[in-house]
């Protein structure tokens, strides 16, 4: 068995049970055996290992878990962004532009984009990245989007219900039938999750419920784009269906927050349905940010993710999202780092990632800084010095 000692860690974020929410330990070493964390202890007692990395007092964290990204697409929408920054509103209508470009692209072109963005994210510390379909919107194009996504991630999500494509514009019921029938059948072998954009202009609550129920019936877990552009029933639908995560949560009523808080974990820690906040989308659409404090104060588990997509949030950077969450959403640096690691893991119902405790997957990042605080304190600076994924230095 091959072993790797990461030695001379000044500050280790474990997200394990400890005095503070991040379970911070100081002056420690981490022993990795194969793809798992095998031991954590004082650097002075570090065991011998086949390989050793001396990080020189740097901070080490669990790799980021980006639980919401749309990477399978072609083209970009820079002109739409430019128009928005000159005053145009974001409506989601541009999704159809990307659908046209995606359908016209070759498998290899789509694959190259997924790999480029996944590589970009990895260099910024993301060791797990969920990938959605949703720019194909035909049986063949959704199936190939997920097939390509599954080459890169085991966390794949079928988003055939992103918008109603143009050819079904006057018969949305028929499109819902297509999504629940042949499209789901073709997509499900490559998908772990099902998602719906439940929003005015996309899918209403009855269509969303029907589609998500079809996905659940074939074993897919539920997640949802909800309450992004305005108030609505999406978050409560997610709670009703036992969703792992409701994403965006920008426009919430008291009833929405209460419903989320009501999904309290039996272990007494946080909620079963996670609120995943995507501040890159508010940044790029120049919209008000979600009220993270209200959710946290109600005891709701919060995750942070990039929403990486060519329309509303073309960033693959979790450090950028952490900095936004701290500065614009009044999260503490500790809350934001937790949400970008353990929070994302909970949003994917994973307990092997997002933590650095013995037995966890050896996904970790070494910062070019002595503390996790620097992720928000030094925004825009490339602070990820090294990434280790599945025990392997990248
Ligand atoms: O999460 N809200 C729906 N879907 C994406 C936007 C997709 C696009 O504009 O292309 C989102 O923001
Ligand atoms: Fe999204």
């Amino acid at each position: 068995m091959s072993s790797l000692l990461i030695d001379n860690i000044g500050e280790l974020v474990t997200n394990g049970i400890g005095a503070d929410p991040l379970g911070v330990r100081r002056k420690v070493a981490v022993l990795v055996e194969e793809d798992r964390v095998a031991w954590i202890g004082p650097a002075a007692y570090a065991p011998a290992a086949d390989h050793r990395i001396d990080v020189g007092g740097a901070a080490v964290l669990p790799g980021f878990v980006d639980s919401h990204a749309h990477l399978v697409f072609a083209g970009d929408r820079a002109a739409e962004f430019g128009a928005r920054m000159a005053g145009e509103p974001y409506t989601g209508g541009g999704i159809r532009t990307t659908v046209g470009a995606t359908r016209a692209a070759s498998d290899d072109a789509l694959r190259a984009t997924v790999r480029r963005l996944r590589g970009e994210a990895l260099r910024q510390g993301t060791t797990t990245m969920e990938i959605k379909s949703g720019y194909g919107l035909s049986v063949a194009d959704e199936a190939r989007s997920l097939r390509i996504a599954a080459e890169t991630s085991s966390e794949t999500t079928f988003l055939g219900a992103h918008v109603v494509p143009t050819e079904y514009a006057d018969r949305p019921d028929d499109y819902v039938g297509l999504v629940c029938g042949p499209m789901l059948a073709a997509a499900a072998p490559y998908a772990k999750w099902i998602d719906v954009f439940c929003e005015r202009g996309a899918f209403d609550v009855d269509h969303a419920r029907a589609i998500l129920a079809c996905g659940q019936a074939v074993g897919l877990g539920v997640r949802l784009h909800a309450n992004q552009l305005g108030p609505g029933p999406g978050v409560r639908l997610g709670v009703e269906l036992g969703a792992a995560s409701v994403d965006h949560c920008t426009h919430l009523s008291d009833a929405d927050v209460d419903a989320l808080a009501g999904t309290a974990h039996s272990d007494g820690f946080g909620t079963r349905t996670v609120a995943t906040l995507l501040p890159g989308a508010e940044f790029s659409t120049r919209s008000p940010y979600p009220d993270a404090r209200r959710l946290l104060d109600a005891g709701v588990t919060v995750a942070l993710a990039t929403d990486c997509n060519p329309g509303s949030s073309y960033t693959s950077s979790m450090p950028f999202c952490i900095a936004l969450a701290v500065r614009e959403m009044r999260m503490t640096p500790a809350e934001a780092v937790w949400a970008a690691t353990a929070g994302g893991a909970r949003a994917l119902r994973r307990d092997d990632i997002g933590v650095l405790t013995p037995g966890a997957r050896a996904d970790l990042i070494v910062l070019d800084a002595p503390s996790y605080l620097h992720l928000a304190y030094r925004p825009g600076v490339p602070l990820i010095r090294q990434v280790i994924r599945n025990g392997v230095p990248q």
Side-chain angles (χ1 to χ4, degrees), residues 90-166:
Y90 175 79
T91 61
I95 294 171
R96 290 186 185 84
T97 307
T98 302
V99 170
T102 304
R103 287 177 177 176
S106 68
D107 289 9
D108 281 346
L110 296 178
R111 188 173 283 123
T113 297
V114 171
R115 291 196 178 155
R116 174 175 63 81
L117 293 170
R118 183 65 191 90
E120 205 178 85
L122 184 68
R123 290 191 294 281
Q124 295 170 92
T126 298
T127 47
T128 301
M129 198 169 193
E130 183 257 18
I131 304 178
K132 299 176 196 300
S133 66
Y135 292 113
L137 309 190
S138 69
V139 173
D141 287 304
E142 284 296 300
R144 77 165 173 152
S145 295
L146 284 160
R147 184 164 36 77
I148 290 167
E151 294 169 3
T152 297
S153 179
S154 59
E155 301 293 346
T156 52
T157 301
F158 171 45
L159 180 59
H162 199 183
V163 287
V164 176
T166 318

Side-chain angles (χ1 to χ4, degrees), residues 71-72 132 146 172 194-195 215 256 309 313 339 393:
L71 303 189
V72 195
K132 299 176 196 300
L146 284 160
I194 185 162
D195 190 345
D256 297 327
N309 78 77
S313 181

Side-chain angles (χ1 to χ4, degrees), residues 288-350:
Y289 288 90
D291 191 345
R293 277 259 65 80
R294 185 180 176 205
L295 289 161
L296 289 163
D297 293 347
V300 177
T301 297
V302 169
L304 286 170
T306 63
D307 196 16
C308 183
N309 78 77
S312 65
S313 181
Y314 202 5
T315 181
S316 56
S317 173
M318 290 294 279
F320 175 62
C321 294
I322 289 171
L324 284 181
V326 171
R327 178 60 183 81
E328 304 292 340
M329 288 155 53
R330 294 185 300 135
M331 292 175 78
T332 66
E335 286 167 341
V337 165
W338 191 93
T341 52
R346 287 191 165 226
L348 294 171
R349 299 244 160 111
R350 296 271 300 266

Side-chain angles (χ1 to χ4, degrees), residues 23-392:
V24 169
R25 300 185 60 177
R26 294 181 204 286
K27 293 192 168 53
V28 292
V30 173
L31 180 70
V32 171
E33 283 174 355
E34 298 294 340
D35 61 349
R36 298 282 159 173
V37 173
W39 175 90
I40 298 172
Y45 297 100
D50 302 330
H51 306 279
R52 177 173 176 271
I53 298 174
D54 183 337
V55 302
V60 171
L61 287 75
F64 299 125
V65 179
D66 185 353
S67 60
H68 184 137
H70 309 244
L71 303 189
V72 195
F73 64 84
D76 71 33
R77 296 191 350 239
E80 180 189 307
F81 175 77
R84 208 156 54 231
M85 294 305 108
E88 290 292 319
Y90 175 79
T91 61
I95 294 171
R96 290 186 185 84
T97 307
T98 302
V99 170
T102 304
R103 287 177 177 176
S106 68
D107 289 9
D108 281 346
L110 296 178
R111 188 173 283 123
T113 297
V114 171
R115 291 196 178 155
R116 174 175 63 81
L117 293 170
R118 183 65 191 90
E120 205 178 85
L122 184 68
R123 290 191 294 281
Q124 295 170 92
T126 298
T127 47
T128 301
M129 198 169 193
E130 183 257 18
I131 304 178
K132 299 176 196 300
S133 66
Y135 292 113
L137 309 190
S138 69
V139 173
D141 287 304
E142 284 296 300
R144 77 165 173 152
S145 295
L146 284 160
R147 184 164 36 77
I148 290 167
E151 294 169 3
T152 297
S153 179
S154 59
E155 301 293 346
T156 52
T157 301
F158 171 45
L159 180 59
H162 199 183
V163 287
V164 176
T166 318
E167 64 275 19
Y168 282 90
D170 52 358
R171 38 192 187 113
D173 290 344
D174 290 355
Y175 186 65
V176 172
L178 182 76
V179 171
C180 287
M183 197 184 282
L184 175 62
Y190 309 106
K192 181 167 172 186
W193 302 97
I194 185 162
D195 190 345
V196 172
F197 184 18
C198 183
E199 194 83 38
R200 196 185 296 270
F203 293 86
D204 68 22
V205 69
D206 295 326
H207 281 160
R209 183 185 285 107
I211 293 164
L212 294 169
C214 292
Q216 277 182 315
V218 298
L220 303 184
V222 169
R223 38 205 330 106
L224 202 56
H225 280 72
N227 303 55
Q228 174 186 7
L229 304 178
V235 163
R236 274 163 286 147
L237 175 65
V239 168
E240 172 193 321
L241 296 176
S245 179
V246 287
D247 297 30
H248 284 288
C249 294
T250 309
H251 298 270
L252 298 185
S253 66
D254 288 345
D256 297 327
V257 177
D258 288 349
L260 284 167
T263 70
H265 241 289
S266 51
D267 65 7
F269 186 71
T271 50
R272 285 279 293 164
T273 298
V274 173
T276 298
L277 308 183
L278 309 165
E282 279 74 35
F283 177 88
S284 179
T285 60
R286 199 175 268 150
S287 303
Y289 288 90
D291 191 345
R293 277 259 65 80
R294 185 180 176 205
L295 289 161
L296 289 163
D297 293 347
V300 177
T301 297
V302 169
L304 286 170
T306 63
D307 196 16
C308 183
N309 78 77
S312 65
S313 181
Y314 202 5
T315 181
S316 56
S317 173
M318 290 294 279
F320 175 62
C321 294
I322 289 171
L324 284 181
V326 171
R327 178 60 183 81
E328 304 292 340
M329 288 155 53
R330 294 185 300 135
M331 292 175 78
T332 66
E335 286 167 341
V337 165
W338 191 93
T341 52
R346 287 191 165 226
L348 294 171
R349 299 244 160 111
R350 296 271 300 266
D351 56 15
D352 59 328
I353 56 175
V355 293
L356 290 176
T357 48
R361 194 168 286 278
D363 288 350
L364 41 92
I365 55 184
V366 182
L367 298 191
D368 236 334
S371 169
Y372 71 84
L373 286 165
H374 287 230
L375 286 165
Y377 172 48
R378 306 200 64 220
V381 175
L383 288 182
I384 312 301
R385 185 199 295 169
Q386 179 150 36
V387 179
I388 294 166
R389 184 160 179 264
N390 283 330
V392 180

Side-chain angles (χ1 to χ4, degrees), residues 14-25:
T14 67
N15 288 337
I17 308 298
D20 64 273
L22 293 181
V24 169
R25 300 185 60 177

